[in-house]
Each structure stands twice: as structure tokens, then as C-alpha cells.
Amino acid sequence: MLKFVNSFLNRLTFFRLVHMKLLFGNHVVEFRPSVLDKKRHPHVSFPYRLALEEVSDQQWNLSLFVPNDENNYVWLQKIAFPRLLKWFAETDVQRNNIVSHRLVNMEDYSQFYCEIKNKWGQKIAATWTERTNPQKFVYEDCAIAAYLIAYWRQKGFLPQRFCDIGCGNGLLVHLLQKMKINGYGIDLRQRKIWKKFVGTDLREKTVNPEDLLSDSDFLIGNHTDELTPWIPIMAAS
């Protein structure tokens, strides 16, 4: 049995109503918890449902349901559900929305990300020596590496040698080389953590565009700061 927790009624255009139908399929979607590993459980540990009910051609009810014997649903009721309602109210389906990651195959991207994170990302995050937050910076670089590999694969192109200009902590270069992608990183200042990335080609030097073009065929500008506008110019030269 499920009990009613909350609902929302709002006037919408017909097009937005159609959008909600497509989003929720047959008006109901159920979320079930899944333990991804032995240590970390999902944020919501019980199943719950979101239901969409038509009131009229221009009105709908969005409802949240939890198990009848579950009382610990404050986060869903007070935080998650109101944010979802706010997102619905502000969504304009007639606008051309930009689709994230539209340049890559999402299955490839997800597969590469999981591989990189599980093989190297988690261990690096656990032993991170920089002052930056590893939960952000380590997994962010795991995602960037996965995106680049998925992009190269989709384009049928694998760089002979990439160059990460302004590579900073060097992690992106390290992860790409772990995935058998040849390349190197350069930065004006060497970081202490470079010593941990044994075998990774990280160079402390200034940028010389002529040198870059002579020994690399793909430029990465992840943290190039003031050099960012010059990346496409150097690549096109």
C-alpha cells in the first residue's frame, strides 16, 4: 500500500502537458533503491513513486507516494519534491534546450567513467594530497577523461599525442595515459602530486605554440585560464 504525501496543481500549456506525459510514460514512475557497493547505500533507502494525474487539458497533479509503513521521508517531502515542482514550473518546453553530452554516446561515456573511477579514481581520491576537494576535482577529471575518450571513439579518431596545456595537478593526463592514450601535460609550475603519478609525462615549462604543433595533434585546455581563447587559434594554425 502507498499513502499520499504531497501534490501540486498548476495551469500549464498543452505542450507542457504532453512533455510530462512523455517524461513519466504511463503517468507513474517508481524508484527502487539499489546498493551500488558494499559500503555505500543509496540516499533514499526505500521505494517511492511519482504519479502524474490529468485534471483537465491544461491542468495536472504531480504526487509523491511512499510505502505505507515508511515514516522517514522528510528529505523527499521537504527538499527533493519541492525542487522537482519548481523545475517543472520553470520549464519551457517550447524553447530549444541544449542537451548535455550531446556530442558523445552516453552508454560509452558511462562505461568509460565507471572504468576510470573504479580502477584509479577512488584510490587517488582516498590518498589525495592537494588542498583541493578530491570528491570534486578527482571525479571531475574522471568524467572529463571519459568524455574525451567517448568523443574520440565516436569520431573514429585517436590522437597520436595530445597536449594538456596548463595541466595543473596533472590528473587528467595521468588518467588518459592509464587508458592507453598517448600524451603529455605542461604547466608553468610543477605540483607536489606529480611525483605520485609515476610514468606520467608532466612538464614544467612555458607554452611555445610552435613546439605544441610539432609534437601533438590534439590540444586540451581544461584549466588554461588566460590561454583559453588561444587554444582554437593554436589548433587551427
Side-chain angles (χ1 to χ4, degrees):
M1 292 291 293
L2 296 173
K3 60 183 177 182
F4 175 74
V5 174
N6 204 348
S7 67
F8 178 73
L9 179 64
N10 193 13
R11 292 186 175 276
L12 296 170
T13 65
F14 175 74
F15 296 99
R16 187 173 296 177
L17 183 62
V18 171
H19 173 71
M20 298 307 170
K21 281 184 178 180
L22 293 174
L23 180 65
F24 285 94
N26 193 25
H27 299 292
V28 177
V29 61
E30 181 171 327
F31 297 87
R32 298 184 179 182
S34 177
V35 178
L36 301 179
D37 54 51
K38 296 180 180 179
K39 297 181 180 179
R40 189 169 185 175
H41 291 266
H43 190 66
V44 179
S45 59
F46 53 85
Y48 62 94
R49 291 180 183 177
L50 292 172
L52 184 69
E53 177 189 5
E54 291 185 58
V55 178
S56 67
D57 288 343
Q58 294 186 338
Q59 291 181 327
W60 50 267
N61 272 341
L62 182 64
S63 304
L64 170 65
F65 296 87
V66 300
N68 199 40
D69 58 350
E70 180 59 55
N71 295 315
N72 189 23
Y73 53 81
V74 175
W75 180 83
L76 279 174
Q77 183 184 23
K78 301 295 185 181
I79 298 178
F81 192 64
R83 288 182 181 178
L84 180 62
L85 298 180
K86 183 176 183 293
W87 179 79
F88 279 156
E90 295 176 351
T91 299
D92 183 2
V93 297
Q94 299 184 48
R95 184 183 64 185
N96 292 327
N97 294 317
I98 298 176
V99 181
S100 178
H101 293 167
R102 67 190 185 280
L103 296 179
V104 302
N105 181 286
M106 286 305 298
E107 290 187 9
D108 288 343
Y109 167 77
S110 299
Q111 181 180 351
F112 288 133
Y113 176 75
C114 289
E115 179 182 356
I116 294 170
K117 178 182 177 181
N118 293 334
K119 283 186 176 180
W120 305 288
Q122 292 176 339
K123 184 180 296 184
I124 293 173
T127 58
W128 192 246
T129 57
E130 298 288 282
R131 287 186 290 181
T132 52
N133 181 5
Q135 296 301 315
K136 176 185 185 299
F137 287 90
V138 172
Y139 296 130
E140 180 181 86
D141 278 355
C142 289
I144 294 172
Y147 186 93
L148 285 170
I149 296 171
Y151 175 78
W152 290 328
R153 176 174 177 174
Q154 188 155 315
K155 293 296 182 180
F157 165 82
L158 192 65
Q160 296 297 312
R161 174 181 279 185
F162 70 83
C163 177
D164 185 2
I165 304 173
C167 62
N169 56 45
L171 177 57
L172 179 59
V173 179
H174 180 68
L175 294 173
L176 288 173
Q177 289 191 347
K178 285 292 187 181
M179 292 293 287
K180 310 301 182 184
I181 309 296
N182 184 38
Y184 66 97
I186 61 175
D187 202 284
L188 280 173
R189 179 174 61 87
Q190 180 178 347
R191 307 301 199 272
K192 292 181 180 179
I193 201 170
W194 285 12
K195 297 178 181 179
K196 294 184 62 175
F197 300 148
V198 179
T200 302
D201 190 353
L202 300 171
R203 309 174 186 179
E204 183 182 22
K205 59 180 293 187
T206 57
V207 175
N208 186 328
E210 293 182 356
D211 292 342
L212 293 177
L213 295 173
S214 65
D215 68 352
S216 58
D217 58 347
F218 194 94
L219 302 182
I220 299 174
N222 186 28
H223 296 293
T224 46
D225 299 329
E226 293 87 352
L227 281 175
T228 300
W230 296 97
I231 300 296
I233 296 175
M234 288 188 286
S237 299

